[in-house]
Amino acid sequence: MAYSFQSLPQLVDMRGKLASKGNYSKRTKTITHRVWHHSLTKKHLAGSDAASFAAYHVNTLGWPCVGYSLIIEPKNIVQTSKGPRARIVYANDIDRRTYHVGNSNQFSLGICVAGDYRYDKMDDATIASIADLHAALTKDNIGKYDTSHNEMPGYSWKACCVYDYRKLVNWKGSVTPITPTPIPDTYTIQEGDTFWSIAHKDGAGGVTVDDLIKANPNVDPEKLKVGQKIIFGKAIGQSQPVKKQNTSTSNPNGNSYIKKFQQWLNQEYNVGLVVDGIYGPKTKAAAIKALQTEFNKQFGAQLVVDGKWGPKTKAAVRTISRGAKGSITRIIQGMLYSLGYDPKGFDGIFGDNSFYAVRKFQGDKKLTVDGLCGKNTFNEIFR
Ligand SMILES: [Zn+2]
Protein backbone atom coordinates (compact mmCIF):
# COMPACT_ATOMS: atom_id res chain seq x y z
CA MET A 1 0.00 0.00 0.00
CA ALA A 2 1.34 3.35 -0.95
CA TYR A 3 0.86 6.21 1.46
CA SER A 4 -0.50 9.51 0.26
CA PHE A 5 2.66 11.34 1.39
CA GLN A 6 4.50 9.36 -1.30
CA SER A 7 2.66 11.21 -4.04
CA LEU A 8 3.75 14.66 -2.89
CA PRO A 9 5.43 16.18 -5.98
CA GLN A 10 8.43 17.39 -3.96
CA LEU A 11 9.14 13.93 -2.56
CA VAL A 12 11.96 11.71 -3.81
CA ASP A 13 12.14 8.11 -2.75
CA MET A 14 15.72 7.39 -1.75
CA ARG A 15 15.05 4.26 0.27
CA GLY A 16 17.89 1.85 -0.33
CA LYS A 17 19.92 4.48 -2.17
CA LEU A 18 21.62 6.23 0.76
CA ALA A 19 24.70 5.04 2.65
CA SER A 20 23.86 2.03 4.79
CA LYS A 21 25.39 -0.83 6.72
CA GLY A 22 22.79 -3.45 7.53
CA ASN A 23 19.14 -2.75 8.28
CA TYR A 24 17.06 -1.21 11.02
CA SER A 25 14.72 -3.72 12.58
CA LYS A 26 10.99 -3.63 12.04
CA ARG A 27 8.86 -1.66 14.48
CA THR A 28 6.94 -3.75 16.95
CA LYS A 29 4.81 -0.77 18.00
CA THR A 30 2.49 1.53 16.09
CA ILE A 31 3.81 5.01 15.43
CA THR A 32 2.18 7.46 17.82
CA HIS A 33 4.69 10.33 17.67
CA ARG A 34 5.99 12.37 14.78
CA VAL A 35 9.24 13.77 16.12
CA TRP A 36 10.64 16.93 14.52
CA HIS A 37 14.38 17.47 14.33
CA HIS A 38 16.74 19.90 12.76
CA SER A 39 20.23 18.98 11.63
CA LEU A 40 22.31 21.80 13.17
CA THR A 41 24.09 22.07 9.83
CA LYS A 42 23.62 25.42 8.09
CA LYS A 43 20.92 24.85 5.50
CA HIS A 44 22.82 26.07 2.42
CA LEU A 45 26.00 24.05 3.06
CA ALA A 46 27.02 21.02 1.02
CA GLY A 47 26.61 18.70 4.02
CA SER A 48 23.03 19.77 4.70
CA ASP A 49 21.21 16.99 2.91
CA ALA A 50 19.99 13.44 3.35
CA ALA A 51 23.02 11.87 1.65
CA SER A 52 25.44 13.64 4.00
CA PHE A 53 23.44 12.80 7.11
CA ALA A 54 23.36 9.17 5.99
CA ALA A 55 27.13 9.11 5.50
CA TYR A 56 27.63 10.62 8.95
CA HIS A 57 25.16 8.35 10.71
CA VAL A 58 26.59 5.22 9.08
CA ASN A 59 30.30 5.98 9.09
CA THR A 60 30.69 7.96 12.30
CA LEU A 61 27.80 6.82 14.47
CA GLY A 62 27.81 3.25 13.16
CA TRP A 63 24.06 3.18 12.58
CA PRO A 64 22.47 0.98 9.88
CA CYS A 65 21.32 3.98 7.83
CA VAL A 66 20.35 7.62 8.32
CA GLY A 67 18.45 8.06 11.60
CA TYR A 68 15.35 9.71 10.13
CA SER A 69 12.53 8.39 7.99
CA LEU A 70 11.98 11.69 6.19
CA ILE A 71 14.33 14.58 5.55
CA ILE A 72 13.40 18.01 4.25
CA GLU A 73 16.16 19.72 2.28
CA PRO A 74 15.75 23.52 2.08
CA LYS A 75 18.62 23.86 -0.39
CA ASN A 76 16.95 21.62 -2.97
CA ILE A 77 13.91 23.44 -4.30
CA VAL A 78 11.34 21.63 -6.43
CA GLN A 79 8.91 23.63 -8.58
CA THR A 80 5.42 22.21 -8.13
CA SER A 81 2.02 23.32 -9.37
CA LYS A 82 1.44 24.75 -5.89
CA GLY A 83 4.66 26.73 -5.99
CA PRO A 84 8.27 26.14 -4.90
CA ARG A 85 8.80 23.45 -2.26
CA ALA A 86 11.83 22.15 -0.37
CA ARG A 87 12.61 18.61 -1.44
CA ILE A 88 11.46 15.83 0.87
CA VAL A 89 13.61 12.69 0.93
CA TYR A 90 11.94 9.43 1.89
CA ALA A 91 14.96 7.75 3.46
CA ASN A 92 13.80 4.74 5.47
CA ASP A 93 10.65 2.66 5.31
CA ILE A 94 8.00 3.96 7.70
CA ASP A 95 7.90 0.53 9.38
CA ARG A 96 11.63 0.65 10.28
CA ARG A 97 12.65 1.60 13.79
CA THR A 98 15.33 4.16 12.99
CA TYR A 99 17.58 5.75 15.61
CA HIS A 100 16.70 9.30 16.58
CA VAL A 101 15.09 9.40 20.02
CA GLY A 102 16.69 6.45 21.84
CA ASN A 103 14.26 4.41 23.86
CA SER A 104 11.33 6.06 22.09
CA ASN A 105 12.44 4.98 18.59
CA GLN A 106 9.99 2.09 18.54
CA PHE A 107 6.90 4.32 18.30
CA SER A 108 8.39 7.53 16.89
CA LEU A 109 8.75 8.71 13.31
CA GLY A 110 11.86 10.84 12.80
CA ILE A 111 11.51 13.84 10.51
CA CYS A 112 14.49 16.12 10.04
CA VAL A 113 14.39 19.60 8.57
CA ALA A 114 17.94 20.30 7.40
CA GLY A 115 19.31 23.55 8.76
CA ASP A 116 20.59 25.17 11.91
CA TYR A 117 17.66 27.23 13.06
CA ARG A 118 19.58 28.90 15.81
CA TYR A 119 20.98 30.96 12.93
CA ASP A 120 19.13 30.01 9.76
CA LYS A 121 15.82 31.59 8.90
CA MET A 122 13.26 29.15 7.60
CA ASP A 123 12.12 29.99 4.09
CA ASP A 124 8.62 29.70 2.64
CA ALA A 125 9.39 26.68 0.44
CA THR A 126 10.50 24.76 3.55
CA ILE A 127 7.54 25.89 5.64
CA ALA A 128 5.23 24.79 2.82
CA SER A 129 6.89 21.37 2.62
CA ILE A 130 6.54 20.85 6.37
CA ALA A 131 2.85 21.72 6.14
CA ASP A 132 2.31 19.45 3.10
CA LEU A 133 4.11 16.56 4.75
CA HIS A 134 2.31 17.00 8.02
CA ALA A 135 -1.08 17.06 6.31
CA ALA A 136 -0.23 13.92 4.32
CA LEU A 137 1.06 11.99 7.34
CA THR A 138 -2.09 12.93 9.25
CA LYS A 139 -4.19 11.69 6.36
CA ASP A 140 -2.14 8.48 6.25
CA ASN A 141 -2.70 7.96 9.94
CA ILE A 142 1.03 7.89 10.67
CA GLY A 143 1.35 9.22 14.21
CA LYS A 144 -1.03 11.10 16.46
CA TYR A 145 1.16 13.62 18.22
CA ASP A 146 3.78 16.06 17.05
CA THR A 147 6.72 16.64 19.35
CA SER A 148 10.23 17.94 19.14
CA HIS A 149 13.28 15.84 19.91
CA ASN A 150 13.74 17.60 23.23
CA GLU A 151 10.20 16.81 24.31
CA MET A 152 10.98 13.08 24.24
CA PRO A 153 12.06 11.35 27.49
CA GLY A 154 15.69 11.96 28.43
CA TYR A 155 16.38 14.61 25.81
CA SER A 156 15.06 17.81 27.39
CA TRP A 157 18.55 19.32 27.25
CA LYS A 158 18.85 18.91 23.46
CA ALA A 159 18.82 21.99 21.28
CA CYS A 160 16.58 20.10 18.85
CA CYS A 161 14.47 21.31 17.32
CA VAL A 162 14.68 25.06 17.90
CA TYR A 163 12.20 26.08 15.20
CA ASP A 164 8.62 26.35 16.30
CA TYR A 165 7.29 23.17 14.76
CA ARG A 166 3.93 23.72 16.45
CA LYS A 167 3.26 26.82 14.45
CA LEU A 168 4.42 25.11 11.27
CA VAL A 169 2.20 22.07 11.60
CA ASN A 170 -0.77 24.12 12.77
CA TRP A 171 -0.69 22.53 16.16
CA LYS A 172 -3.61 23.88 18.15
CA GLY A 173 -1.88 24.16 21.49
CA SER A 174 0.78 26.40 22.86
CA VAL A 175 3.08 28.26 20.54
CA THR A 176 5.70 28.89 23.21
CA PRO A 177 9.12 28.43 21.62
CA ILE A 178 10.97 25.43 22.94
CA THR A 179 13.88 26.21 25.20
CA PRO A 180 16.15 23.33 26.17
CA THR A 181 16.77 22.66 29.85
CA PRO A 182 20.35 22.70 31.16
CA ILE A 183 22.46 19.66 30.33
CA PRO A 184 22.18 17.12 33.18
CA ASP A 185 25.27 15.95 35.09
CA THR A 186 24.68 12.32 34.25
CA TYR A 187 23.13 10.88 31.15
CA THR A 188 21.54 7.45 30.75
CA ILE A 189 22.37 5.79 27.44
CA GLN A 190 19.40 5.13 25.18
CA GLU A 191 19.09 3.00 22.05
CA GLY A 192 21.36 4.09 19.24
CA ASP A 193 23.20 6.65 21.37
CA THR A 194 26.90 7.10 20.71
CA PHE A 195 29.29 9.69 22.13
CA TRP A 196 29.00 11.40 18.75
CA SER A 197 25.23 11.52 18.68
CA ILE A 198 25.02 12.67 22.28
CA ALA A 199 27.65 15.34 21.91
CA HIS A 200 27.32 16.85 18.50
CA LYS A 201 23.96 18.54 18.88
CA ASP A 202 24.50 20.33 22.15
CA GLY A 203 24.36 23.77 20.72
CA ALA A 204 27.01 26.42 21.10
CA GLY A 205 29.66 25.63 23.67
CA GLY A 206 28.20 22.27 24.60
CA VAL A 207 29.80 18.95 25.41
CA THR A 208 32.20 17.59 22.81
CA VAL A 209 33.02 13.95 22.09
CA ASP A 210 36.46 14.56 23.48
CA ASP A 211 34.96 15.88 26.72
CA LEU A 212 32.92 12.69 27.00
CA ILE A 213 35.90 10.43 26.37
CA LYS A 214 37.97 12.28 28.95
CA ALA A 215 35.25 12.42 31.57
CA ASN A 216 34.41 8.74 31.19
CA PRO A 217 37.79 6.99 31.03
CA ASN A 218 36.32 3.64 31.99
CA VAL A 219 33.59 3.71 29.38
CA ASP A 220 34.33 2.13 26.01
CA PRO A 221 32.63 4.47 23.49
CA GLU A 222 32.24 1.52 21.11
CA LYS A 223 30.34 -0.56 23.65
CA LEU A 224 27.74 1.69 25.21
CA LYS A 225 24.86 -0.19 26.77
CA VAL A 226 21.27 0.99 27.04
CA GLY A 227 20.73 2.08 30.65
CA GLN A 228 24.41 2.75 31.30
CA LYS A 229 25.05 6.05 33.09
CA ILE A 230 27.82 8.35 31.94
CA ILE A 231 29.23 11.59 33.30
CA PHE A 232 27.78 14.51 31.39
CA GLY A 233 27.13 18.24 31.49
CA LYS A 234 28.79 20.33 34.17
CA ALA A 235 30.12 17.25 35.94
CA ILE A 236 32.55 16.81 33.05
CA GLY A 237 34.78 19.61 34.24
CA GLN A 238 34.99 18.04 37.69
CA SER A 239 35.96 14.57 36.53
CA GLN A 240 39.42 13.08 36.85
CA PRO A 241 41.78 13.27 33.90
CA VAL A 242 42.59 10.03 32.10
CA LYS A 243 45.29 8.07 33.91
CA LYS A 244 48.53 7.82 32.02
CA GLN A 245 50.28 4.53 31.40
CA ASN A 246 53.16 3.68 33.64
CA THR A 247 56.24 4.27 31.54
CA SER A 248 58.36 5.00 34.56
CA THR A 249 62.08 4.44 34.23
CA SER A 250 62.16 2.94 37.73
CA ASN A 251 60.45 -0.23 36.48
CA PRO A 252 63.36 -2.69 36.20
CA ASN A 253 61.54 -4.96 33.79
CA GLY A 254 60.38 -2.18 31.53
CA ASN A 255 57.06 -2.16 29.83
CA SER A 256 56.18 -5.07 27.56
CA TYR A 257 54.39 -2.94 25.00
CA ILE A 258 57.41 -0.66 24.67
CA LYS A 259 59.65 -3.73 24.47
CA LYS A 260 57.60 -4.96 21.54
CA PHE A 261 57.91 -1.55 19.90
CA GLN A 262 61.69 -1.50 20.39
CA GLN A 263 62.09 -5.06 19.11
CA TRP A 264 60.11 -4.24 16.01
CA LEU A 265 62.15 -1.08 15.36
CA ASN A 266 65.36 -3.15 15.58
CA GLN A 267 64.04 -5.85 13.33
CA GLU A 268 62.59 -3.59 10.63
CA TYR A 269 64.99 -0.67 10.68
CA ASN A 270 68.15 -2.07 12.24
CA VAL A 271 68.38 0.81 14.72
CA GLY A 272 70.29 -1.11 17.41
CA LEU A 273 68.12 -0.22 20.39
CA VAL A 274 68.56 -1.84 23.78
CA VAL A 275 65.26 -3.63 24.33
CA ASP A 276 64.58 -2.50 27.88
CA GLY A 277 60.93 -1.47 27.65
CA ILE A 278 61.80 2.02 28.77
CA TYR A 279 60.89 4.93 26.54
CA GLY A 280 63.52 7.65 26.24
CA PRO A 281 65.36 9.81 23.67
CA LYS A 282 66.99 6.79 21.98
CA THR A 283 63.67 5.07 21.31
CA LYS A 284 62.27 8.33 20.06
CA ALA A 285 65.21 8.88 17.67
CA ALA A 286 64.82 5.30 16.43
CA ALA A 287 61.12 5.91 15.79
CA ILE A 288 61.98 9.06 13.80
CA LYS A 289 64.52 7.05 11.74
CA ALA A 290 61.82 4.50 11.03
CA LEU A 291 59.46 7.26 9.98
CA GLN A 292 62.06 8.89 7.71
CA THR A 293 62.76 5.51 6.11
CA GLU A 294 59.04 5.01 5.45
CA PHE A 295 58.56 8.54 4.11
CA ASN A 296 61.42 7.92 1.67
CA LYS A 297 60.12 4.52 0.65
CA GLN A 298 56.43 5.37 0.44
CA PHE A 299 56.43 9.03 -0.62
CA GLY A 300 59.84 9.41 -2.29
CA ALA A 301 60.73 12.04 0.30
CA GLN A 302 64.54 11.83 -0.01
CA LEU A 303 65.12 12.59 3.65
CA VAL A 304 68.39 12.03 5.49
CA VAL A 305 67.69 9.21 7.95
CA ASP A 306 69.20 10.86 11.00
CA GLY A 307 66.55 10.36 13.67
CA LYS A 308 66.11 14.10 14.09
CA TRP A 309 62.75 15.78 13.81
CA GLY A 310 63.38 18.79 11.55
CA PRO A 311 61.38 20.93 9.13
CA LYS A 312 62.11 18.66 6.15
CA THR A 313 60.80 15.59 7.92
CA LYS A 314 57.77 17.52 9.10
CA ALA A 315 57.11 18.74 5.56
CA ALA A 316 57.12 15.15 4.29
CA VAL A 317 54.19 14.17 6.55
CA ARG A 318 51.03 12.95 4.87
CA THR A 319 47.88 12.76 6.95
CA ILE A 320 47.16 9.33 8.38
CA SER A 321 43.50 8.72 9.19
CA ARG A 322 41.18 6.04 10.48
CA GLY A 323 41.39 2.90 8.37
CA ALA A 324 45.08 3.37 7.46
CA LYS A 325 47.29 0.29 7.66
CA GLY A 326 51.04 -0.21 7.71
CA SER A 327 54.35 0.70 9.24
CA ILE A 328 53.65 4.42 9.69
CA THR A 329 50.55 3.58 11.69
CA ARG A 330 52.60 1.14 13.75
CA ILE A 331 55.16 3.84 14.54
CA ILE A 332 52.36 6.20 15.58
CA GLN A 333 50.86 3.50 17.82
CA GLY A 334 54.19 2.80 19.50
CA MET A 335 54.80 6.48 20.11
CA LEU A 336 51.29 7.21 21.37
CA TYR A 337 51.56 4.38 23.85
CA SER A 338 54.98 5.54 24.97
CA LEU A 339 53.58 9.02 25.59
CA GLY A 340 50.72 7.66 27.69
CA TYR A 341 47.93 7.26 25.13
CA ASP A 342 47.02 3.63 24.74
CA PRO A 343 45.92 2.66 21.19
CA LYS A 344 45.19 -0.83 22.59
CA GLY A 345 47.31 -2.72 20.14
CA PHE A 346 50.49 -2.60 18.09
CA ASP A 347 49.06 -4.00 14.91
CA GLY A 348 49.61 -1.24 12.34
CA ILE A 349 45.88 -0.78 11.84
CA PHE A 350 44.53 2.70 12.50
CA GLY A 351 41.26 1.53 14.04
CA ASP A 352 38.89 3.00 16.58
CA ASN A 353 41.24 2.69 19.54
CA SER A 354 44.08 4.42 17.71
CA PHE A 355 41.58 7.08 16.70
CA TYR A 356 40.53 7.66 20.32
CA ALA A 357 44.15 7.71 21.46
CA VAL A 358 44.97 10.36 18.85
CA ARG A 359 41.96 12.41 19.93
CA LYS A 360 42.91 12.25 23.60
CA PHE A 361 46.45 13.25 22.73
CA GLN A 362 45.21 16.15 20.57
CA GLY A 363 42.88 17.35 23.31
CA ASP A 364 45.64 17.37 25.91
CA LYS A 365 48.01 19.19 23.57
CA LYS A 366 45.39 21.78 22.61
CA LEU A 367 45.44 20.70 18.96
CA THR A 368 42.36 20.44 16.77
CA VAL A 369 40.65 17.29 18.01
CA ASP A 370 39.82 15.43 14.81
CA GLY A 371 41.52 12.05 15.23
CA LEU A 372 43.55 12.70 12.08
CA CYS A 373 47.27 12.34 12.31
CA GLY A 374 48.43 15.30 10.24
CA LYS A 375 51.46 17.62 10.33
CA ASN A 376 50.63 19.29 13.65
CA THR A 377 49.89 16.04 15.43
CA PHE A 378 53.04 14.37 14.07
CA ASN A 379 54.99 17.43 15.15
CA GLU A 380 53.61 17.24 18.68
CA ILE A 381 54.42 13.51 18.91
CA PHE A 382 57.95 13.64 17.54
CA ARG A 383 59.39 17.07 18.33
ZN1 LIG B 1 17.12 15.80 16.95
Side-chain angles (χ1 to χ4, degrees):
M1 179 199 79
Y3 293 111
S4 67
F5 78 82
Q6 289 176 267
S7 49
L8 289 171
Q10 69 268 45
L11 184 132
V12 286
D13 189 349
M14 291 179 79
R15 287 176 295 167
K17 292 178 190 150
L18 296 165
S20 68
K21 213 189 284 169
N23 284 304
Y24 284 113
S25 63
K26 239 180 158 166
R27 296 178 190 278
T28 54
K29 286 185 184 159
T30 310
I31 296 169
T32 49
H33 291 64
R34 294 178 289 256
V35 182
W36 296 87
H37 298 264
H38 72 166
S39 61
L40 284 194
T41 54
K42 290 266 186 90
K43 65 180 184 183
H44 62 280
L45 293 181
S48 223
D49 56 26
S52 306
F53 305 153
Y56 178 75
H57 289 178
V58 171
N59 299 328
T60 303
L61 305 187
W63 293 350
C65 188
V66 67
Y68 316 109
S69 300
L70 294 152
I71 296 140
I72 299 178
E73 300 175 332
K75 66 174 181 156
N76 290 320
I77 298 297
V78 179
Q79 299 300 333
T80 75
S81 59
K82 293 199 278 180
R85 295 286 189 272
R87 188 167 87 156
I88 302 171
V89 172
Y90 186 13
N92 282 296
D93 255 332
I94 295 299
D95 71 356
R96 294 289 144 177
R97 192 190 81 212
T98 66
Y99 294 166
H100 62 111
V101 283
N103 299 344
S104 306
N105 290 334
Q106 199 61 274
F107 55 86
S108 300
L109 182 78
I111 308 160
C112 178
V113 182
D116 182 349
Y117 296 100
R118 297 173 302 175
Y119 312 109
D120 284 335
K121 194 179 170 306
M122 205 176 269
D123 49 78
D124 291 345
T126 303
I127 293 170
S129 268
I130 293 174
D132 288 350
L133 180 61
H134 183 258
L137 291 171
T138 307
K139 194 174 160 198
D140 289 329
N141 237 330
I142 302 171
K144 269 191 206 156
Y145 313 106
D146 293 288
T147 72
S148 62
H149 188 170
N150 60 11
E151 287 170 323
M152 299 307 284
Y155 292 109
S156 61
W157 49 274
K158 273 258 181 193
C160 183
C161 58
V162 300
Y163 55 85
D164 195 345
Y165 73 92
R166 291 169 174 168
K167 228 182 205 163
L168 298 170
V169 301
N170 291 319
W171 194 73
K172 298 283 185 274
S174 154
V175 288
T176 319
I178 305 129
T179 32
T181 59
I183 298 174
D185 287 349
T186 56
Y187 177 75
T188 308
I189 299 298
Q190 301 197 29
E191 179 184 73
D193 282 340
T194 71
F195 275 4
W196 279 264
S197 72
I198 300 164
H200 86 292
K201 284 180 180 172
D202 282 337
V207 175
T208 67
V209 171
D210 200 50
D211 292 336
L212 289 172
I213 290 173
K214 274 192 199 154
N216 295 279
N218 301 320
V219 175
D220 182 346
E222 289 294 288
K223 291 185 185 124
L224 298 180
K225 291 185 196 76
V226 172
Q228 184 177 12
K229 286 198 167 46
I230 61 163
I231 293 174
F232 202 44
K234 278 203 301 297
I236 278 179
Q238 295 144 22
S239 65
Q240 293 304 307
V242 178
K243 268 217 177 106
K244 301 229 163 166
Q245 260 73 46
N246 177 19
T247 55
S248 149
T249 47
S250 64
N251 179 354
N253 300 317
N255 174 294
S256 64
Y257 187 109
I258 295 171
K259 271 187 189 165
K260 222 192 284 175
F261 181 35
Q262 291 169 327
Q263 250 153 17
W264 178 79
L265 287 168
N266 281 346
Q267 210 177 298
E268 296 291 316
Y269 305 98
N270 200 22
V271 285
L273 278 174
V274 178
V275 179
D276 56 4
I278 297 164
Y279 175 77
K282 282 184 185 156
T283 304
K284 184 180 174 181
I288 295 171
K289 276 187 186 172
L291 208 56
Q292 290 167 328
T293 307
E294 292 300 333
F295 285 176
N296 288 346
K297 199 161 78 185
Q298 297 186 37
F299 314 142
Q302 298 183 307
L303 296 169
V304 180
V305 180
D306 59 1
K308 288 183 189 135
W309 186 255
K312 280 187 187 158
T313 308
K314 188 185 169 189
V317 166
R318 301 210 185 159
T319 300
I320 305 291
S321 54
R322 218 172 183 176
K325 287 189 181 103
S327 300
I328 297 176
T329 300
R330 218 184 258 262
I331 299 163
I332 293 168
Q333 288 175 328
M335 286 298 290
L336 283 171
Y337 183 93
S338 301
L339 298 171
Y341 300 84
D342 189 357
K344 297 192 181 146
F346 183 58
D347 53 6
I349 300 167
F350 199 112
D352 292 338
N353 292 318
S354 298
F355 178 74
Y356 300 133
V358 170
R359 294 183 64 103
K360 275 185 204 165
F361 177 80
Q362 290 171 325
D364 286 351
K365 303 294 176 193
K366 307 266 180 288
L367 298 167
T368 305
V369 179
D370 56 8
L372 296 171
C373 218
K375 281 196 171 66
N376 293 333
T377 304
F378 265 97
N379 193 49
E380 201 61 44
I381 294 175
F382 292 97
R383 74 193 171 95

